[in-house]
Amino acid sequence: MDNVLSTLALDVGYAKGKPVVNKVSFDVKKGEIIALIGGNGAGKSTILKTITRQLEKLSGEISICSMKDMELDEESMAKKVSMVTTERIHPELMSCYEVVATGRYPYTGRLGILGEEDESAIEEAIQMVGAKEISGEDFSKVSDGQRQRIMLARAICQDTDLLILDEPTSFLDVQYKLDILSVIRKLVKEKEKAVVMSIHELEFVPAMADLVIGIYNNAVYQVGTPKEILTGENLEVMYGMENGSGNVMAEGLWNYANSLERLICQK
């Protein structure tokens, strides 16, 4: 099966600066979720911003749908990759529906006129995230959880092969976290999208991720399944925990994770 995203020996960081993370190599296929984990400042967001070309790569390779990233112009890139971040956007005088509709701009041409196909994609995305009741409301006046639903709907209706999600559940109440993660799982399962997401809440990782990439000390520390990565020893290393405390955390994490997986799958 062709990879939707491949990185090879990718160094990421800021121009003329020391790399934040070195030699990042991984593949993502359709229907897969990759979770990036690691402590604050480890470089998870830097990796994601480099994949989406918000930051210029320092070295290495990025391929998207079997094409080198620099072979894709801005419009082609927007049709293949969409992103949801925790950064708050401040559109002026836009309804939630209109914010979602901006996800269709790669398909509407310079005039931005929505056709029937665009309208259908917008409605389907809004319905999928359960935001029909707020679609007509001012985006700037809805709650953080509702905004995150709208931004996810925007990415969904952009209809890309790859979704990049930077801490999509941060700052949300538990119920909103469960709702957002349930939508992501449904999207991957039903539409075979590929997802790369950074996440702080480790208890959600077993329910979401096919593969986990642990970032530590400016490098990829380990790559594997949630069972392989979320161990006491690994948690102690990646999060700077005291010797022996990782096992306690890992045991509690997995006990909680099993319950969360049932809740997410039930939605």
Side-chain angles (χ1 to χ4, degrees), residues 128-149:
M128 191 171 192
V129 303
K132 184 68 175 179
E133 71 282 0
I134 63 167
S135 61
E137 295 187 22
D138 187 330
F139 179 81
S140 65
K141 295 181 180 179
V142 299
S143 70
D144 286 344
Q146 291 169 327
R147 289 185 190 187
Q148 200 70 345
R149 288 188 191 217

Side-chain angles (χ1 to χ4, degrees), residues 59-237:
S59 64
E61 297 181 4
I62 302 173
S63 297
I64 298 171
C65 298
S66 300
M67 296 181 67
K68 301 296 184 185
D69 61 321
M70 299 314 297
E71 296 175 352
L72 298 167
D73 59 25
E74 186 174 342
E75 181 178 310
S76 299
M77 186 75 171
K79 290 180 179 179
K80 295 184 181 300
V81 184
S82 54
M83 184 170 189
V84 178
T85 74
T86 56
E87 297 173 2
R88 290 180 171 83
I89 66 169
H90 302 281
E92 295 184 6
L93 303 177
M94 290 182 71
S95 69
C96 291
Y97 183 95
E98 290 169 332
V99 171
V100 176
T102 62
R104 296 303 298 173
Y105 285 176
Y107 306 94
T108 58
R110 293 181 180 179
L111 296 179
I113 299 174
L114 299 172
E116 289 185 10
E117 184 177 348
D118 301 309
E119 298 279 3
S120 177
I122 295 165
E123 292 288 350
E124 181 183 5
I126 289 174
Q127 189 71 34
M128 191 171 192
V129 303
K132 184 68 175 179
E133 71 282 0
I134 63 167
S135 61
E137 295 187 22
D138 187 330
F139 179 81
S140 65
K141 295 181 180 179
V142 299
S143 70
D144 286 344
Q146 291 169 327
R147 289 185 190 187
Q148 200 70 345
R149 288 188 191 217
I150 293 301
M151 295 309 296
L152 181 56
R154 179 186 183 278
I156 291 171
C157 83
Q158 196 172 329
D159 195 23
T160 59
D161 296 305
L162 175 65
L163 277 80
I164 303 294
L165 309 175
D166 193 7
E167 299 178 23
T169 56
S170 291
F171 313 119
L172 302 183
D173 293 338
V174 172
Q175 189 58 55
Y176 277 120
K177 291 179 190 287
L178 293 172
D179 289 344
I180 291 291
L181 293 175
S182 176
V183 171
I184 294 169
R185 274 184 57 116
K186 183 178 180 182
L187 184 68
V188 171
K189 182 177 180 180
E190 294 184 0
K191 297 185 178 293
E192 288 197 309
K193 302 298 184 181
V195 170
V196 181
M197 61 188 293
S198 64
I199 188 166
H200 276 303
E201 304 96 326
L202 298 181
E203 63 272 19
F204 290 116
V205 173
M208 297 297 297
D210 298 291
L211 195 69
V212 181
I213 300 174
I215 309 297
Y216 171 71
N217 198 24
N218 304 112
V220 174
Y221 174 66
Q222 282 196 5
V223 179
T225 65
K227 279 285 188 184
E228 293 169 334
I229 302 302
L230 298 179
T231 66
E233 181 180 354
N234 288 338
L235 294 177
E236 287 176 6
V237 172

